[in-house]
Amino acid sequence: MAFTTPRSAAGLSVRAYHPGDEAAVLGLVGADRLPGQPPATPGMLAEALAGRSPVDGGWWDELEAPVTEVICDATDQVLGAVSYARRPSDQSGFILWLHCREDEGLAEALISRALHRLGTGTVHAFEFASALTLGLEGLPARHRPATLKALEAAGFTGRDSWRYMRADLPVAGLPRAERCTVEECEDPPGRRLEVRDGAELLAEATIGRPVDGVGVLWWIGVAQAARGRGTGLALLGSALDELAGIGAREVILYVDDDAPPGDTERDRTAANGLYDRAGFTEVDRLHCFTPRFVAA
């Protein structure tokens, strides 16, 4: 199947990324930066280009080396970029990241290019967090309306998977957990907090080392027997104190808020209430995508 540039991108051309494009691509990434995300650096871009990520690293390890391409005007000015790869184990394709200053025509052209190069088979989009962000595992639908529309026009179906939230630090007015221990951890890099009653683990939380003043609350969980006692809120207070103490000026978190009706095991009502009560605000909802059809 020959690749045809959509009419909305007539006069433009797509070529492979080269090192001289670094500043332009970082500018594109920066134009889409969300509240609570650190600025993308050359080092972060290098990791993304190489197919590595500190988050979702196991998923990235299953992919072939990513292909990154840019779309340019007649003067070779970079207007957009897309990165994609194939997973050899099942031949699925993945559009990993895409930036084009929310120009719908450019998004359509870049998506069309990636689909053409990935060929037949199932193609997913925005499934994994790249090294360009601090854990954004999906497309922020409200902040990226043109990309969302272009994906849907290409036959993709979105799945509302995550609630992305942030708060400034320090956060006042929260209780603090008693008998809370803190130790370093490496996966993800940061610290693990535990609340125990003797040998019994009552609650745990994992926080990430701050990046440019941004800390992440990766996980907080409370044992069934300890729920309803304020343990979760107190551990949250301790975790946020710990983040502020190691240099974080703001904190972000992600809630896997996609449980189907009736799935009590994955219901996140209590977690959402906890974060709302602590003063977190929702920045966006993160969507992952799979096409409605498989091209022949």
Side-chain angles (χ1 to χ4, degrees), residues 57-71:
W59 294 110
W60 284 79
D61 289 344
E62 295 181 1
L63 304 178
E64 294 175 344
V67 174
T68 302
E69 296 186 302
V70 295
I71 190 166

Side-chain angles (χ1 to χ4, degrees), residues 175-183 192-206 219-223 226 229-239:
R176 304 298 185 264
E178 299 179 0
R179 303 186 302 278
C180 181
T181 62
V182 182
E183 54 186 40
R192 175 183 170 90
L193 292 79
E194 292 186 350
V195 177
R196 292 182 176 271
D197 183 2
E200 182 183 5
L201 179 64
L202 301 181
E204 59 184 330
T206 304
W219 165 256
I220 187 167
V222 180
R229 307 178 191 172
T231 305
L233 188 63
L235 179 57
L236 177 60
S238 295

Side-chain angles (χ1 to χ4, degrees), residues 101-283:
R101 299 185 188 275
E102 286 307 281
D103 182 299
E104 189 177 338
L106 295 175
E108 289 176 354
L110 291 167
I111 292 166
S112 177
R113 174 70 170 193
L115 290 175
H116 165 68
R117 293 295 300 272
L118 289 168
T120 61
T122 302
V123 179
H124 307 265
F126 294 91
E127 284 280 344
F128 313 137
S130 82
L132 294 171
T133 69
L134 200 53
L136 280 178
E137 194 173 308
L139 178 80
R142 293 197 296 269
H143 285 78
R144 303 283 302 275
T147 301
L148 174 64
K149 189 173 180 180
L151 284 164
E152 292 174 340
F156 284 88
T157 301
R159 183 176 73 255
D160 186 348
S161 301
W162 299 88
R163 189 183 191 205
Y164 170 52
M165 309 182 75
R166 69 163 300 281
D168 291 321
L169 290 176
V171 175
L174 296 180
R176 304 298 185 264
E178 299 179 0
R179 303 186 302 278
C180 181
T181 62
V182 182
E183 54 186 40
E184 295 288 326
C185 62
E186 291 301 324
D187 188 17
R191 297 184 180 182
R192 175 183 170 90
L193 292 79
E194 292 186 350
V195 177
R196 292 182 176 271
D197 183 2
E200 182 183 5
L201 179 64
L202 301 181
E204 59 184 330
T206 304
I207 58 175
R209 295 171 191 158
V211 177
D212 198 41
V214 179
V216 186
L217 177 65
W218 288 118
W219 165 256
I220 187 167
V222 180
Q224 186 70 41
R227 294 176 184 174
R229 307 178 191 172
T231 305
L233 188 63
L235 179 57
L236 177 60
S238 295
L240 298 183
D241 275 358
E242 190 70 24
L243 277 169
I246 58 176
R249 299 183 299 274
E250 58 184 317
V251 55
I252 60 173
L253 59 84
Y254 304 92
V255 184
D256 52 339
D257 196 26
D258 60 346
D263 187 343
T264 57
E265 181 66 25
R266 296 185 59 237
D267 182 81
R268 298 295 184 256
T269 301
N272 281 319
L274 177 71
Y275 301 135
D276 290 338
R277 180 179 175 186
F280 282 82
T281 57
E282 181 178 291
V283 177

